[in-house]
Amino acid sequence: MIKSGSPEDMERMMARLEADQSRPIDDPAPIRDFPKYGRPLVYVSGIYGMAVAWTHTYGLIEWLDSSGKYHIGWAHSSNIKRVKPEEWKGASAL
């Protein structure tokens, strides 16, 4: 569990700011955030993660790689599949 105000929390906030600035240019729709608790579990191109935010065309996904490094990035909505908790194989540290 990452505590608020920790270095990991600050790293994630900076990653989110960078992701917001690098969102796909072809989607001018407003970004809507999912609530912090209850974010959808998703599968995108071999990656299990959580949906953080969305627009009409894209979803912002966060995940941990096999080494535990945090990533966040945009994926086209057609590539995002919601999964049930029993199907999800992502890192629980999100």
Side-chain angles (χ1 to χ4, degrees):
M1 177 86 179
I2 294 181
K3 296 181 180 179
S4 182
S6 69
E8 294 89 356
D9 188 41
M10 197 60 122
E11 181 180 315
R12 287 183 181 197
M13 287 182 355
M14 295 304 294
R16 172 63 193 265
L17 287 172
E18 289 173 12
D20 285 349
Q21 292 172 354
S22 68
R23 68 183 280 207
I25 197 164
D26 65 339
D27 186 15
I31 298 171
R32 297 185 178 116
D33 288 342
F34 284 104
K36 184 171 182 169
Y37 299 101
R39 290 179 174 161
L41 301 174
V42 296
Y43 177 78
V44 183
S45 303
I47 297 169
Y48 288 92
M50 289 187 185
V52 177
W54 81 97
T55 68
H56 291 295
T57 314
Y58 294 92
L60 185 60
I61 311 301
E62 67 177 359
W63 72 96
L64 297 175
D65 65 20
S66 58
S67 69
K69 183 172 175 10
Y70 179 78
H71 299 275
I72 189 168
W74 291 97
H76 197 276
S77 59
S78 64
N79 296 330
I80 301 170
K81 179 186 174 208
R82 278 195 187 205
V83 294
K84 297 177 184 173
E86 57 271 9
E87 299 173 307
W88 195 69
K89 298 178 180 130
S92 61
L94 286 174

